[in-house]
Amino acid sequence: MVASVTAMSENSVTDGPKSRLADGLGARSGTSLGQYELVRRIGTGGMAEVYEAVHRGLKKTVAIKVLLPDVAENDDLRARFLREGEAASRIQHPHVVDVTDVGEQGGVPYLVMELLVGDPLTQIIREHRQLTLSRTLDVMLPISAALEEAHRRGVVHRDLKPDNIFIARTPSGKVVPKLLDFGVSKMTTAGIPNDTSRSSVLGTPHYMAP
């Protein structure tokens, strides 16, 4: 899913069947996770849902990504979800989605991220079919810089694709590409456990290196 979700654009709201999380935490205003009050659900995927939320004390609007209860029961998927927050927060780059907090409620973990406004690169490509060279460079140069910093920090993304690149817009109208979703990333710094076996194949086949 597009994480971040705005991390997700309003166009990416899914109107499909409600999950158990939607029934429990709800896509309703007023439900709380820690210090955050959920405002509305803005995206959903196979592993998690994303909500717009407000910190009750700071009145700051954020995006909260919550692992689905059924997924949270799987130790491996739960570890990957938490690693997403650790990897993104470790990089601290203007073109990587900012993860600011992590928590758990009712046995279900969640990540708190900056709320982005814009569209996933997938949607932009779908609408325009082919981007100009100039526009392509405006996206790929910042994302390449983000990847370079990630590698310098010992993080390998392993699932780079249009779905995981978000074209955010600031209030002033500036376009800021953001790299999302470090759920299958690998942290290579000494002392950090590596949960991936040598035989594991991770990522999206169409976008994987040969």
Side-chain angles (χ1 to χ4, degrees):
M1 72 183 291
V2 179
S4 313
V5 226
T6 237
M8 291 185 149
S9 69
E10 295 186 8
N11 295 329
S12 44
V13 174
T14 299
D15 296 321
K18 291 169 62 180
S19 68
R20 282 173 49 191
L21 180 63
D23 291 332
L25 297 179
R28 304 186 301 272
S29 174
T31 304
S32 296
L33 281 178
Q35 294 297 313
Y36 301 92
E37 182 175 312
L38 303 184
V39 176
R40 64 190 178 103
R41 188 176 63 179
I42 56 177
T44 185
M47 288 183 57
E49 293 183 322
V50 181
Y51 294 82
E52 178 183 337
V54 177
H55 189 285
R56 289 199 298 269
L58 301 176
K59 309 303 180 186
K60 179 180 180 180
T61 303
V62 298
I64 294 186
K65 185 175 182 179
V66 191
L67 200 62
L68 295 173
D70 290 343
V71 178
E73 294 174 0
N74 183 302
D75 291 339
D76 181 61
L77 295 178
R78 183 189 182 94
R80 292 188 187 283
F81 180 80
L82 294 175
R83 185 165 61 239
E84 174 182 352
E86 181 182 353
S89 62
R90 178 190 290 197
I91 300 169
Q92 297 183 338
H93 189 275
H95 294 289
V96 173
V97 64
D98 189 21
V99 176
T100 58
D101 199 3
V102 62
E104 183 174 313
Q105 181 164 304
V108 178
Y110 60 89
L111 302 177
V112 181
M113 303 171 288
E114 61 178 321
L115 180 68
L116 306 178
V117 175
D119 299 291
L121 182 58
T122 302
Q123 181 173 325
I124 293 174
I125 293 174
R126 187 181 302 120
E127 292 175 352
H128 296 275
R129 295 289 180 175
Q130 185 173 356
L131 302 185
T132 65
L133 176 60
S134 175
R135 193 169 186 184
T136 300
L137 290 174
D138 286 343
V139 173
M140 297 314 300
L141 290 179
I143 294 300
S144 296
L147 288 171
E148 180 181 19
E149 178 63 15
H151 295 168
R152 193 177 74 83
R153 298 281 183 173
V155 178
V156 181
H157 190 281
R158 300 200 295 189
D159 196 20
L160 184 62
K161 59 184 178 180
D163 278 342
N164 289 336
I165 297 175
F166 194 88
I167 310 304
R169 296 188 301 273
T170 67
S172 65
K174 181 180 179 181
V175 173
V176 183
K178 293 274 188 173
L179 183 59
L180 312 176
D181 202 343
F182 286 79
V184 297
S185 63
K186 177 179 180 180
M187 289 183 281
T188 61
T189 302
I192 299 295
N194 180 8
D195 298 328
T196 305
S197 68
R198 292 181 181 273
S199 61
S200 296
V201 177
L202 298 173
T204 304
H206 186 69
Y207 295 98
M208 293 172 67

